[in-house]
Amino acid sequence: MSSLQQRLAQPRVLLAPGVYDALSALIAERAGFEALYLSGASIAYTRLGRSDVGLTTYSEVEETLARITERVTTPVIVDADTGFGNALNVRRTVQGLERAGAAMIQLEDQTFPKRCGHLDGKSVVPIDEMRGKLRAALDARRHAGTLILARTDAVAVEGLESALDRAEAYLQCGVDALFVEALRSPQQMDAACRRFASRVPLLANMVEGGQTPMQSAAELGARGFRMVIFPGGTARAVAHTLQVYYASLHAHGSSAAMRERMLDFDGLNALIGTPELLALGKRYE
């Protein structure tokens, strides 16, 4: 049993923050989180400077994941979007992300190219097509400890009952966890939990300004969710901080006004382990 499976077997809710590169993952790990969520949207935001509308590719996700798992030991849940194509693409995606160190791989039932789950204008593939992609994902993994998370975006397209029926069909494929995206109200959240929470880990997605009412991990755990992610909050927080920093630097011609809100040279090197790395290098002199 993988460490993530063991953690999900515990009754308390698992809170996973969004990360988008090795530095954000390292800082999140140092903060004490027990799992991390590699957000596809945040890769688009930070690597491309673009919106989450299906522009990110498999290779960009795989490379980002590999850099993260090289640096941290905390289990990483990775957003693999639609699997980047059909069932054969899903097989390659799962094999590659498993090789790169994914603890759990999320696949969704949107058409390709997809868009952020909290944007309007989504569409979903037929249930049978998604079931085939999930079976391909389960067949492709080399280790049962690599978990498969099935996400449905059908609430916005077909309504709640259809979305729950889709989740039921995906669960019957043998996936390890479920994610009903963009639930619109506490009542919808409770309906999802009534149907699934006793049978499979259910994930709640908290997006600042998104469709789902914001609640704490404790509140969501009390409803029945076993996993809670704040996937894009990290990128939004960093973007806001950089807006303030760059505006201050442009206005003052110096970073002095921001010094109390920054790490200095030694502080950043301590965070990333520069003294330890230099000490290791001395072993080979």
Side-chain angles (χ1 to χ4, degrees):
M1 182 179 289
S2 70
S3 61
L4 184 57
Q5 284 174 304
Q6 292 174 343
R7 176 60 183 82
L8 289 174
Q10 300 177 20
R12 58 193 176 90
V13 68
L14 174 65
L15 173 60
V19 300
Y20 55 82
D21 64 5
L23 180 61
S24 60
L26 178 65
I27 295 171
E29 181 177 72
R30 296 279 176 85
F33 289 98
E34 299 174 278
L36 309 174
Y37 183 85
L38 176 55
S39 160
S42 290
I43 294 175
Y45 301 154
T46 58
R47 291 195 61 166
L48 308 181
R50 297 288 185 182
S51 306
D52 181 21
V53 291
L55 301 176
T56 306
T57 63
Y58 157 76
S59 58
E60 288 163 337
V61 176
E62 187 274 338
E63 181 184 4
T64 303
L65 175 64
R67 297 290 76 76
I68 289 171
T69 57
E70 180 183 46
R71 190 66 182 92
V72 303
T73 59
T74 304
V76 179
I77 304 164
V78 58
D79 177 5
D81 289 344
T82 65
F84 306 100
N86 63 17
L88 294 179
N89 296 104
V90 167
R91 285 184 60 88
R92 177 173 184 252
T93 295
V94 169
Q95 289 168 347
L97 296 182
E98 182 180 49
R99 219 169 28 245
M104 175 181 281
I105 300 168
Q106 174 190 307
L107 296 162
E108 67 193 50
D109 60 4
Q110 282 196 55
T111 55
F112 183 83
K114 57 83 51 132
R115 62 178 58 199
C116 172
H118 291 254
L119 288 175
D120 294 330
K122 297 185 293 183
S123 58
V124 292
V125 300
I127 292 177
D128 286 344
E129 180 178 341
M130 184 61 181
R131 284 170 54 87
K133 292 171 75 170
L134 292 173
R135 290 196 299 270
L138 293 165
D139 287 346
R141 61 183 180 179
R142 296 186 61 188
H143 306 287
T146 303
L147 307 182
I148 302 298
L149 167 62
R151 163 177 151 177
T152 179
D153 284 73
V155 171
V157 182
E158 302 173 346
L160 176 64
E161 289 306 315
S162 177
L164 298 183
D165 288 343
R166 279 176 171 266
E168 185 72 53
Y170 304 161
L171 180 59
Q172 297 308 313
C173 293
V175 299
D176 302 288
L178 289 176
F179 174 7
V180 183
E181 171 66 302
L183 293 164
R184 297 297 206 263
S185 67
Q187 293 75 24
Q188 289 193 351
M189 299 165 81
D190 288 341
C193 287
R194 280 195 302 270
R195 187 152 176 183
F196 298 111
S198 65
R199 295 188 285 154
V200 66
L202 195 61
L203 181 145
N205 180 19
M206 295 290 99
V207 177
E208 298 82 1
Q211 302 287 348
T212 304
M214 293 293 290
Q215 297 180 14
S216 70
E219 291 171 317
L220 292 163
R223 289 190 181 279
F225 291 99
R226 299 269 292 285
M227 295 180 285
V228 178
I229 58 172
F230 284 74
T234 305
R236 281 185 279 277
V238 168
H240 176 68
T241 299
L242 289 177
Q243 283 181 325
V244 174
Y245 171 80
Y246 288 131
S248 177
L249 180 61
H250 186 266
H252 301 293
S254 166
S255 62
M258 294 290 294
R259 284 295 299 273
E260 295 303 314
R261 301 170 65 178
M262 301 167 56
L263 294 175
D264 64 10
F265 181 79
D266 289 337
L268 180 59
N269 278 302
L271 171 67
I272 60 178
T274 301
E276 294 83 356
L277 193 64
L278 294 177
L280 176 64
K282 289 185 178 297
R283 291 177 51 185
Y284 305 109
E285 291 179 356

